[in-house]
Amino acid sequence: MEAISAESLTLGYGEDEIIKELDLTIPKGKITVFIGSNGCGKSTLLRSLARLMKPKNGSIILDGNDIANTPTKKIARNLAILPQSPVSPEGLTVLQLVKQGRYPYQSWLQQWSEKDEEAVTYALRVTGMDEFSDRKVDSLSGGQRQRAWIAMTLAQDTNIILLDEPTTYLDMTHQIDILDLLYDLNQTEQRTIVMVLHDLNLACRYADHIVAINNKKIYKQGDPDSIITPDLIHSVFGLQCQVTCDPICGSPLCIPFSKGRHLNDVKQQSLTELTNKL
Ligand SMILES: Nc1ncnc2c1ncn2[C@@H]1O[C@H](COP(=O)(O)OP(=O)(O)OP(=O)(O)O)[C@@H](O)[C@H]1O
Ligand SMILES: [Mg+2]
């Protein structure tokens, strides 16, 4: 069963087409990760799923309805998005930012409730941001700020969570903490998670479903074990690599070749030849 689907989706800016006639199904209750090179359209696609941009063509279906005709608050109670490089209003504190995640539940009749308070406290705690709640967001380090935004996204308490490079700026411990937290939300509460990740090895560890985007289309999609191969990495990223097995999780582990340091004799040999010529 799908959480969101896109049909014949064409996206772009002005005359430029970034994504062309793409069909996509995001499986419900699973973790889906978009991968692809810089500028291939991952953020554009993710933003369109949250109706932050209007398709040039095609439609996005959430809960059986085209999101183009769904009230904003209804979408926001179903789906939260953490965009890439979000900007917060100047002077906002972490607590004020995270409270904004509860906006879809507020109305004229429904004022701030105990449930809102609980959701905010929970989000601050699990992201390790409770100690920063009175700090101004623009005074935080890059990683702290990223966690404040993740807290806001979690406070929205939605079944579908979209995150664009959530681990950017985070040190290794916080990367794993955040991904483990999302995994936990997925496992215990069957939340649907859709992320853009650049770290292919973490993508392979956490994803049930990987969507590789290239040339305005889906190049390949499926579970990491069946789709991540040296051929795919070469076609999508133009990079030669070896794919081996993550010794901790058993998922595919991509090790890129490089012109720099190398543990083989070939470079040593050519260096010797070069030196001999001089
Ligand atoms: N607001 C905009 N106006 C015009 N062009 C844009 C705009 N936003 C993105 N683009 C262009 O659309 C293309 C896709 O951008 P997008 O941000 O979706 O890529 P991405 O796959 O998320 O890349 P990255 O990995 O660098 O985040 C790029 O060529 C980019 O320059
Ligand atoms: Mg992006």
Side-chain angles (χ1 to χ4, degrees):
M1 200 165 151
E2 76 269 8
I4 325 173
S5 59
E7 286 166 14
S8 196
L9 193 65
T10 298
L11 304 168
Y13 304 93
E15 296 291 294
D16 293 341
E17 278 182 349
I18 307 295
I19 294 289
K20 194 165 181 184
E21 289 166 21
L22 177 142
D23 292 321
L24 172 72
T25 300
I26 303 289
K28 197 170 189 162
K30 302 277 185 205
I31 300 181
T32 297
V33 175
F34 294 168
I35 61 168
S37 59
N38 287 138
C40 74
K42 302 176 298 297
S43 299
T44 303
L45 178 59
L46 200 74
R47 284 158 45 77
S48 77
L49 297 181
R51 214 184 58 179
L52 296 184
M53 82 177 282
K54 197 168 175 254
K56 280 177 177 292
N57 224 324
S59 50
I60 290 158
I61 311 295
L62 173 69
D63 264 352
N65 299 310
D66 188 332
I67 59 168
N69 310 318
T70 310
T72 304
K73 274 198 177 173
K74 189 171 175 208
I75 295 177
R77 284 195 292 262
N78 269 300
L79 179 155
I81 181 166
L82 169 70
Q84 188 172 11
S85 320
V87 181
S88 65
E90 212 175 309
L92 207 69
T93 66
V94 170
L95 181 62
Q96 286 166 334
L97 176 74
V98 177
K99 278 185 160 183
Q100 289 199 352
R102 300 303 295 169
Y103 162 78
Y105 303 95
Q106 311 296 299
S107 69
W108 221 74
L109 293 171
Q110 179 63 58
Q111 300 297 312
W112 191 257
S113 69
E114 209 165 291
K115 196 165 177 219
D116 295 317
E117 199 64 40
E118 276 169 17
V120 168
T121 308
Y122 165 80
L124 286 168
R125 180 172 53 78
V126 293
T127 52
M129 288 306 288
D130 30 14
E131 59 177 307
F132 299 100
S133 64
D134 294 330
R135 285 273 298 275
K136 298 258 168 45
V137 177
D138 42 27
S139 76
L140 299 174
S141 77
Q144 292 162 348
R145 202 173 310 157
Q146 181 76 340
R147 278 154 52 209
W149 278 100
I150 293 171
M152 190 199 88
T153 312
L154 295 180
Q156 212 172 311
D157 193 20
T158 54
N159 280 327
I160 305 173
I161 307 174
L162 314 181
L163 308 106
D164 199 343
E165 299 189 33
T167 52
T168 305
Y169 304 115
L170 302 190
D171 63 47
M172 206 186 268
T173 310
H174 283 113
Q175 287 184 31
I176 297 293
D177 279 353
I178 291 297
L179 292 173
D180 276 351
L181 170 63
L182 294 169
Y183 179 73
D184 202 41
L185 286 172
N186 165 259
Q187 293 291 300
T188 57
E189 299 174 20
Q190 287 72 51
R191 311 261 195 130
T192 302
I193 314 277
V194 187
M195 290 185 273
V196 176
L197 290 178
H198 274 300
D199 186 322
L200 293 179
N201 296 331
L202 289 180
C204 289
R205 260 195 189 196
Y206 287 92
D208 297 301
H209 190 69
I210 286 189
V211 179
I213 297 166
N214 193 29
N215 281 336
K216 306 181 185 179
K217 296 206 173 292
I218 297 176
Y219 176 80
K220 213 164 204 175
Q221 57 180 324
D223 69 285
D225 279 336
S226 51
I227 71 156
I228 298 298
T229 60
D231 268 357
L232 178 134
I233 307 295
H234 188 250
S235 302
V236 173
F237 296 97
L239 181 72
Q240 302 279 1
C241 76
Q242 261 184 26
V243 176
T244 171
C245 185
D246 181 330
I248 309 287
C249 298
S251 48
L253 186 73
C254 307
I255 305 178
F257 288 101
S258 62
K259 293 192 194 109
R261 273 193 135 162
H262 236 259
L263 232 198
N264 76 32
D265 298 328
V266 178
K267 191 183 166 203
Q268 187 62 50
Q269 207 177 330
S270 58
L271 197 66
T272 313
E273 280 168 12
L274 193 69
T275 319
N276 290 342
K277 272 191 201 157
L278 289 173

